[in-house]
Amino acid sequence: MSTVRDWAAPNPITENRSGLIGKPVDRYEGRLKVTGTAPYAFEVETPSAPLYGHIVSATIARGRIAGIDLSQAASAPGVVLVWSHLNVPVQAQRGAKLNPRSQRGSNPALGSDRVEHYGQSVAFILADTPENARAAEARIRITYEASDADLDFGSFIDSAGPVPGEEDARIGDFEAGYSASAVTVDATWFSPLQNHAQMEPCATTAWWEGDKVVVHTSIQMVKGGQHALAETLGIPSDRVRLLTRYIGGGFGGKGQSYDDLTLAALAARESGRPVRVAYTRRQMFQATVHRPAVQMRVRLGADGTGRLNAMALEAVTHCARNSTFVEHAAEFARNLYAAPHRLTGHRLVRLDIPHAGAMRAPGEAPGMLSLECAMDELADRLGMDPIALRIRNEPEVDPDNAKPFSIRQLVRCMQEGAQQFGWDRRNPTPGAVRDGRWYVGMGMATAIRGNFLLPAKAGLRLTGDGLATLTQGMTDIGTGTYTILAQITGETLGLPLDQVRVELGDSDMPPAPGSGGQFGAATAGSAAFETGMVMRRRLAELATSDPRSPLYGEDPLLMDFANGNIVLGNRSESLATLASRAGPEGVYVEGSISPAADARDWSQHTYGAQFAEVGVDSVTGEVRLRRMFGVFAAGRILNAKLAKSQITGGMIWGVGAALTESNAVDPRYGSFLHQDLGGYLAPVHADIVNLDAVLLDEADDKANPMGIKGVGELGICGSGAAIANAVYNACGVRLRDYPLTPDKVLAALEAKGL
Amino acid sequence: MKPFAFERARNVDHALSLAAAAPGARFLAGGTNLLDLMKLEIEQPETLIDVGRLPLADISETAGGGLRIGALATNTVVASDPRVRSRYPVLARAILSGASVQLRNKASMGGNLMQRTRCAYFMDPAKPCNKRLPGSGCSAMGGLSQATALFGASEFCVAVSASDMSVALAVLDAEVETVRADGSVRRRPVETLHRLPGDAPQVDTDLAPDELILAVELPPPPSGGQVWRKVRARASYIGALASIAVAGDRVALGAVAARPWRARAAEAALAEGAAPREAAEAELVSASGEDGRKTLVRRLATDAIQESRKGSRS
């Protein structure tokens, strides 16, 4: 096992001689996507004409199916088969694992007569067209026996219980420290239930080739989906080939498979035809996971100079009755600011609603909406600048575990951000700046998000035409994975980008953990880099051991790679020639990356500072973002354009969290109020008029051999808090119930007599 | 989407005879609302009569100094017409705030008037809704949606109109010209084209099944400033929490009733010399519903009336 010391030596990526690393190249698959020709899972070519499945969803929150009549639907035009729990083919019990090494257990559909949440699948229709499949739904008669359901988070918050297997993190004596503090803040924030609202719904196309099933599906984790389906069907995983080449948004919501995958595979087996199944927009809201609502109480105690003495963040959240998911909204606070007395922890309420699950920056996204506003309140109370307050509490070592930081440029992010944003023009007195009928204000917040490296592999083939093809069971969920892997491979082998191909999203390829937790680029990228290095060594050996090569007899360790050639001094040979000589298949190698043995000896995060200027309509309470700017530190940047897109996309996600995004459970039905993109309000272009971000020059040599870190979730962190703080600065109203919609702002303005 | 018959009308008479022959048929123009609702199976017409190619898209001056806008003039064309922009800026602004440019390019004058409510419970076929399924009940009452009517609601329905454009038309005293299969041509104010829900909320307008909108006629604009405001949580692509059109001494409110709501009580108060806020409060005397929404309408109306008096045309 390697140690981080092994990563410190210069390598082709850190030397970046051909300049591919960091270059803002266009997306590898961009042309396919903007011309509508990238085949998504529902659109892939099938070996013969496909059938179409439609899933029927439960319309009660909890209970059982007392009766279900499928006969009318079965005889509807074009219908091939109709299933309920009574006649669906046998599947393994939920969670079962035939193979103990499977990454996911069985995920059966229509498994029983029990209804555990509104929107759960209760029947399935297979027909010749999607229209006929959906039209037949009206002919299914279902009678339910409803049971009492716990639906309203708010009414169970006080009875929230501890999280199994988790204890509060306590350092020092919070209560004593807090009560001894000269200046305190004690306030509670609420972040509502949110939906991923991906553009591409969950969808699968499936067909069988003998006893092996081929599934194209929209999922973030190739192995997870492959294993879940194999376990559900009770077959070895090598009889499931899962492909997921293009994904129209995941955001954590596609970290698992859903019933479209299970039912498509079953129906293809039963019908002997390829089958396509997609969730409806409504089912995307109602039958996939969501980010749970979180209530967060923050208590801060400081001395008169702003030095924190005590800090607590206690979060209450919810998950489905039979689930263990926790939105860890308090965790980030352990690593952010110094304070001798600390308390963080989580409590959980179990509800009869769909499953809570991971959504972009789980934990930090709602969590920072509380602490970063509490810091603003503390600064206000102390009469201090919010940046000065944060710098005063900048820790020397990680305040949670006393580990040294791998690198921490949070202060620099704040200072450079302040300068570029024009923070010195902020009037600290709330409500002091007007522009016509608009109150105008500025706010800031910090960002912190962990960085991770997981084990991964990759394959690399060099062929006689001089092309290098990287293959990896990795996903690109719209983040740019194809592109950065091409850049890494090109730079490592000294090949121009047009000689590099990348093939992803196939369970037959060397496995990578997929996209999530902003670990994708560092993990898959490091595996690609290591595989490129394996290829360099193999090519050097091939050249130096072959009398036909001009490099014959030289020391393979001295070889260099540039411009498509292997080079030593003024002698060189093209990689194409080397590959041709190796045989018709060229040269194929595999490589892998694993976390360093001592990786956890350092505290390792990505950081940033967010700045926002908002207008608040003094008449209506509408909040509009006027401009937003952030400075971030996230290791070496592989592609300046894609990294910035990830960061600014994250910031915009935070704009939604602060101002518009929210869903509510209707306590009469157990369903969500909003089940489409017209009602669930993510920001649109008109909301984002002037938003920009800068990434600092950085390399984290404790992160991985390339010194890169994830950027996929960092931009969200603190973004919404900066906006809420700007709202306060604009009009003097502290709102702690997100999102800050006009009705809430207006009520607060009225209450203040404004 | 349920299977349906599709007919393309060759001319207005053909459209009307097709409609008379096919009960339950719907006219299709831009389709920006109807097709969405058909995909959700909220609308399930057995026949669609495509009137989109009929020659009803002209905008012309009227003898009385007004403007006649054909039913098939697109929202984009109307909002960018120099005559509309200079004489009826409140209409241009209402249309521009009503939808994205892609929708405005497709949406027509007549179709915009015929769009249905966006009430979240109307849009969800699994929920009771008297407008969608008469007699099933109203789940918006006691529900989570904030966008419920302040004026003219009934015990059967609290849905509000989704059309921004119609609010501006109502304040401009615009009239809708229609024709029926028997050849009868009729005019009525835009303000009363839409019914209040009463005990039949499933019927949105007082148009007969075989009645086709031909044009909207605008009288000359009233003297005085024109103001349009639309309040919403995000800057685009969403219906109003409340909207207001002011033209001279006339006031119309949007997203507060099943029809564009001419604020007659406010107008009367203004005519008697009331201050803008008093006028707004006079209108709200008859409002029912949540206090927060009333507060919003009071503040919005007060400010918009004040602004119109500054001679502003924003």
Side-chain angles (χ1 to χ4, degrees), chain A residues 300-361:
Chain A
L300 300 176
D303 66 18
T305 73
R307 196 170 301 278
L308 281 172
N309 188 41
M311 184 208 77
L313 201 179
E314 297 162 281
V316 186
T317 182
H318 61 82
C319 69
R321 187 168 298 284
N322 58 0
S323 159
T324 54
F325 179 83
V326 182
E327 180 84 27
H328 283 116
E331 237 173 50
F332 79 96
R334 294 170 186 167
N335 316 105
L336 190 50
Y337 299 119
H341 305 291
R342 318 169 67 83
L343 164 63
T344 48
H346 306 89
R347 297 291 182 274
L348 202 50
V349 171
R350 290 209 155 71
L351 297 175
D352 300 302
I353 65 171
H355 284 241
M359 181 163 139
R360 251 182 131 182

Side-chain angles (χ1 to χ4, degrees), chain A residues 552-701:
Chain A
Y552 176 63
E554 297 293 343
D555 181 352
L557 294 177
L558 299 179
M559 296 300 131
D560 215 339
F561 292 77
N563 305 315
N565 297 313
I566 181 167
V567 183
L568 180 68
N570 55 7
R571 278 176 294 159
S572 71
E573 184 172 30
S574 80
L575 301 191
T577 309
L578 258 177
S580 306
R581 267 208 315 269
E585 301 288 304
V587 183
Y588 178 76
V589 300
E590 292 190 359
S592 64
I593 187 76
S594 295
D598 54 353
R600 288 172 184 274
D601 291 353
W602 284 269
S603 167
Q604 195 177 103
H605 296 82
T606 56
Y607 298 95
Q610 311 256 16
F611 295 84
E613 180 181 312
V614 303
V616 179
D617 190 315
S618 61
V619 176
T620 63
E622 290 163 286
V623 180
R624 296 286 184 261
L625 185 66
R626 293 163 73 102
R627 62 193 182 99
M628 191 158 186
F629 182 73
V631 175
F632 300 87
R636 189 186 310 282
I637 296 307
L638 293 170
N639 180 317
K641 181 156 67 173
L642 293 178
K644 191 162 139 176
S645 288
Q646 282 295 293
I647 288 285
T648 52
M651 292 163 76
I652 293 167
W653 198 284
V655 174
L659 298 180
T660 55
E661 286 192 49
S662 165
N663 219 334
V665 180
D666 194 320
R668 301 167 299 173
Y669 309 106
S671 58
F672 294 135
L673 174 64
H674 302 301
Q675 301 181 36
D676 59 40
L677 299 169
Y680 184 80
L681 303 186
V684 295
H685 280 92
D687 294 304
I688 309 298
V689 290
N690 181 351
L691 184 143
D692 203 0
V694 165
L695 284 143
L696 294 181
D697 249 347
E698 182 177 288
D700 189 336
D701 62 4

Side-chain angles (χ1 to χ4, degrees), chain B residues 143-180:
Chain B
L144 301 170
S145 171
Q146 295 178 341
T148 52
L150 294 180
F151 302 102
S154 75
E155 61 183 301
F156 299 99
C157 184
V158 292
V160 300
S161 163
S163 170
D164 294 321
M165 183 188 80
S166 69
V167 184
L169 291 177
V171 91
L172 293 169
D173 275 343
E175 291 191 331
V176 183
E177 185 181 290
T178 63
V179 63
R180 294 191 61 176

